[in-house]
Amino acid sequence: MINFTVNRKLLVEKMLEPLENQDDTKFGSNSELFNNLKRGTTIVEYSSPNIAKKFHAGHLRSTIIGNFIANLKQTLGNNVIRMNYLGDWGMQFGLLGAGFAQFGSQEKLKQNPLQHLFEVYVQVNKEAEQSEDMRQNARDFFRQLEQRESQAVSLWQQFRDITVSEYQHIYKRLGVHFDIYSGESEHQGQAQEVMQQLRSRGLLKTSEKGTGVVDLSPDGDMSSVCTVLRSDGTTLYITRDLAAAIDRKQKYHFDEMIYVTDKSQATHFQQLFQILLAMGRPWAESCQHVSFGLVRGMKTRTGEVVFLEDVLNEARTRMLNNMSQTKTTKELDDPEDTAEKVGISALIVQDFKGPLYSDYKFDWDRMLQAQGDTGVFLQYTHARLCSLTRTNAEVDAATFDPSLLLEQSGVTILQHLLRYDEVLYQSAQDLQPKHLVNFLLKLCHLIASAHRELLVKGSPQEVAQARLRLFSRACSVLANGMRILGITPVDKM
């Protein structure tokens, strides 16, 4: 067993003196730990909802996990391209196009675009179950789309533009942005080129049903195949994904590409990467699928939830209600905006606390508790530290004596902050947000203890100054960590 003693004064000095000449946002991310980390261009593809549908709550996980990964990579010095790959192609648009011709109204489309498209989609699906004519109309419309006939394309383009504009409101609320809105439709023509390449390499086989398949079985006995072409010659989702990956490599010369989707698509991505390698694309080794489990029991007061907007509204309403019962809320300039930000941080922390691969049960009450390991607790701690700085603005920050900060509760905070770079490093290895969430929650518990013991108000000027510097450093690390998670810190609540 090795016993050693920490030189507290030296620790305080090293951790808190660089405040003047160091960019605070770089704390932890400029550690030697990252010297051997490969930096380059990273594409993160996430969120990726289907157009012409309201934003389903099921897309929340992909959106916030992808945003965390993009933020983390950017913090560590990568050039990050944030990509939203919309589901904007496929037979469902045949149905929607044919349905809109029969049930649609441009007037209703202007008033409440996604709700109207949703209603048309439900109606046309019912109709198509009974009517072969409707099914044929849908096939005809999709074929017109594939052949780029102008009337079909213009209606489809209208659906796509409306959807992106509606989704951008939701993304703005979540604090999420994208550099590129891409979509399956862009790779339609390229998908045919991929088929040519598969043929010329002898990888494309025809199954008994007449579909085009690639044999992925180790022994070449067709025991494991992937279908890449329908019997009528139209392409499939995976064909367009192959084309998209090849196109992105040519366009962006990425060093790694990360796809963020739920775990039901694990086989799809295994096959995608395998086919790319068989096509002589060794860079497929640098593509990765980050998968996640399901959220169970996500309901609002009105019953089963389907749309993300309803979840965000309910989080804001419940949070506003909780805040209205505390004394400080009355001083807020915009209580709704604060409730929105705190509600969203509660959603994010609940989602990020465990391993991403696990399913978890959604729990409104536990998620919004101010005491306990929640996003509300992170925000509350940050707001409290900001308030401490505001109420002690007269304390002179110029002089600093490290020997006045040797109490155990302060030293414990600094020792914890020393681990920040390790936590970022660990997160970069497995792309799991739980390490950072748990680090920040522990930091908040340590801050709560120190806040009770290390009083600033009423202490001698130099002691107050040293303590304020400690809390200021803790506050900036907390804020930086929250931003990586995709949380906007509030300074009052």
Side-chain angles (χ1 to χ4, degrees):
M1 191 166 83
I2 301 171
N3 289 323
F4 61 88
T5 311
V6 172
N7 180 332
R8 292 185 176 193
K9 183 168 178 285
L10 189 64
L11 173 70
V12 173
E13 205 174 294
K14 290 289 178 210
M15 287 293 287
L16 297 182
E17 275 206 333
L19 268 176
E20 286 91 37
N21 52 23
Q22 184 184 332
D23 175 4
D24 235 20
T25 58
K26 294 275 190 287
F27 178 78
S29 61
N30 54 4
S31 155
E32 290 172 11
L33 266 183
F34 302 113
N35 287 355
N36 299 323
L37 211 59
K38 281 203 208 88
R39 289 182 179 85
T41 297
T42 301
I43 291 181
V44 187
E45 184 207 282
Y46 58 108
S47 195
S48 307
N50 297 317
I51 70 160
K53 290 184 178 174
K54 283 183 86 169
F55 201 120
H56 192 280
H59 288 288
L60 173 68
R61 288 208 88 182
S62 171
T63 307
I64 60 180
I65 293 163
N67 190 45
F68 155 73
I69 292 170
N71 292 342
L72 176 69
K73 291 280 179 183
Q74 202 166 329
T75 302
L76 298 179
N78 292 43
N79 167 36
V80 176
I81 297 170
R82 298 160 187 261
M83 185 175 284
N84 197 339
Y85 183 61
L86 300 168
D88 64 356
W89 206 251
M91 191 46 87
Q92 73 266 30
F93 294 103
L95 268 173
L96 194 60
F100 196 79
Q102 193 164 331
F103 309 114
S105 140
Q106 283 290 346
E107 196 47 50
K108 284 185 182 170
L109 194 62
K110 282 193 184 75
Q111 287 161 3
N112 194 345
L114 294 188
Q115 188 57 39
H116 182 52
L117 290 179
F118 178 65
E119 287 158 5
V120 169
Y121 194 65
V122 171
Q123 264 178 303
V124 72
N125 269 296
K126 266 196 200 129
E127 184 81 12
E129 278 169 26
Q130 270 104 51
S131 153
E132 174 53 37
D133 283 355
M134 182 52 91
R135 289 198 290 275
Q136 188 52 50
N137 290 349
R139 286 192 288 272
D140 291 345
F141 187 89
F142 188 54
R143 196 163 39 252
Q144 288 163 20
L145 259 187
E146 293 230 288
Q147 289 161 1
R148 294 280 188 246
E149 288 189 17
S150 64
Q151 216 171 344
V153 168
S154 124
L155 188 61
W156 168 86
Q157 187 68 50
Q158 190 186 6
F159 294 164
R160 192 185 193 277
D161 294 346
I162 282 169
T163 312
V164 170
S165 137
E166 293 280 313
Y167 283 176
Q168 280 172 333
H169 295 306
I170 299 267
Y171 290 134
K172 194 173 179 194
R173 288 181 71 177
L174 285 169
V176 168
H177 71 277
F178 293 94
D179 301 309
I180 294 161
Y181 281 88
S182 157
E184 292 177 63
S185 57
E186 290 174 29
H187 304 292
Q188 196 38 44
Q190 297 160 342
Q192 296 302 335
E193 289 168 35
V194 168
M195 300 316 301
Q196 287 303 336
Q197 289 175 37
L198 289 170
R199 271 190 205 95
S200 65
R201 283 182 172 264
L203 294 168
L204 189 66
K205 312 270 197 297
T206 306
S207 73
E208 290 167 7
K209 297 176 190 161
T211 55
V213 298
V214 175
D215 181 12
L216 296 173
S217 55
D219 305 326
D221 57 5
M222 301 284 278
S223 60
S224 165
V225 298
C226 174
T227 307
V228 290
L229 204 60
R230 289 195 188 91
S231 53
D232 65 1
T234 53
T235 58
L236 289 150
Y237 184 63
I238 191 152
T239 334
R240 297 189 283 274
D241 257 2
L242 287 162
I246 292 167
D247 180 56
R248 289 171 194 175
K249 185 65 181 174
Q250 286 166 350
K251 239 185 222 159
Y252 306 110
H253 310 289
F254 62 78
D255 298 286
E256 61 178 343
M257 178 155 62
I258 299 163
Y259 297 88
V260 184
T261 75
D262 71 74
K263 59 187 177 187
S264 69
Q265 294 196 41
T267 308
H268 168 84
F269 284 104
Q270 267 171 331
Q271 292 178 334
L272 176 70
F273 304 153
Q274 246 180 302
I275 295 172
L276 285 168
L277 287 171
M279 290 174 76
R281 302 290 200 282
W283 47 260
E285 297 276 12
S286 63
C287 296
Q288 184 182 353
H289 176 219
V290 173
S291 62
F292 53 82
L294 302 171
V295 184
R296 306 207 177 280
M298 203 191 246
K299 294 188 182 77
T300 56
R301 286 198 173 93
T302 52
E304 275 297 327
V305 66
V306 189
F307 303 126
L308 183 56
E309 200 170 7
D310 300 332
V311 180
L312 299 185
N313 291 346
E314 177 126 1
R316 180 176 60 201
T317 305
R318 284 177 180 247
M319 199 59 230
L320 201 55
N321 183 43
N322 291 4
M323 282 162 46
S324 67
Q325 293 160 15
T326 66
K327 295 193 294 290
T328 53
T329 306
K330 297 175 187 61
E331 304 158 12
L332 295 175
D333 306 328
D334 187 346
E336 286 239 333
D337 182 58
T338 302
E340 167 102 330
K341 290 188 172 102
V342 177
I344 286 169
S345 45
L347 280 169
I348 290 173
V349 169
Q350 173 175 251
D351 197 288
F352 284 0
K353 266 163 60 176
L356 294 180
Y357 197 74
S358 305
D359 300 347
Y360 75 88
K361 191 170 180 324
F362 193 86
D363 183 335
W364 280 113
D365 294 330
R366 203 171 60 220
M367 174 181 109
L368 294 169
Q369 280 171 0
Q371 302 305 317
D373 289 346
T374 63
V376 183
F377 180 46
L378 292 185
Q379 290 283 25
Y380 172 72
T381 308
H382 182 266
R384 198 176 180 189
L385 292 173
C386 290
S387 161
L388 189 69
T389 309
R390 278 194 305 272
T391 51
N392 292 284
E394 78 290 345
V395 174
D396 175 28
T399 55
F400 171 55
D401 180 355
S403 65
L404 299 175
L405 203 58
L406 305 182
E407 295 87 349
Q408 185 58 54
S409 58
V411 169
T412 308
I413 288 180
L414 294 175
Q415 286 174 314
H416 187 64
L417 293 180
L418 275 175
R419 287 193 49 243
Y420 185 53
D421 59 345
E422 291 168 37
V423 170
L424 292 181
Y425 184 79
Q426 197 177 6
S427 308
Q429 299 306 302
D430 63 7
L431 303 181
Q432 297 280 324
K434 62 178 182 179
H435 313 300
L436 184 53
V437 167
N438 293 324
F439 171 86
L440 295 178
L441 288 167
K442 172 93 185 284
L443 175 61
C444 288
H445 286 294
L446 295 175
I447 289 168
S449 301
H451 193 268
R452 284 191 295 272
E453 288 171 36
L454 307 178
L455 301 176
V456 175
K457 214 158 195 59
S459 298
Q461 172 85 353
E462 285 173 345
V463 174
Q465 200 281 321
R467 290 174 178 178
L468 210 50
R469 190 175 280 221
L470 167 74
F471 288 123
S472 171
R473 168 48 54 99
C475 182
S476 73
V477 173
L478 175 59
N480 294 341
M482 285 165 77
R483 287 189 191 99
I484 292 173
L485 293 173
I487 294 171
T488 305
V490 300
D491 57 3
K492 273 184 189 175
M493 70 177 275

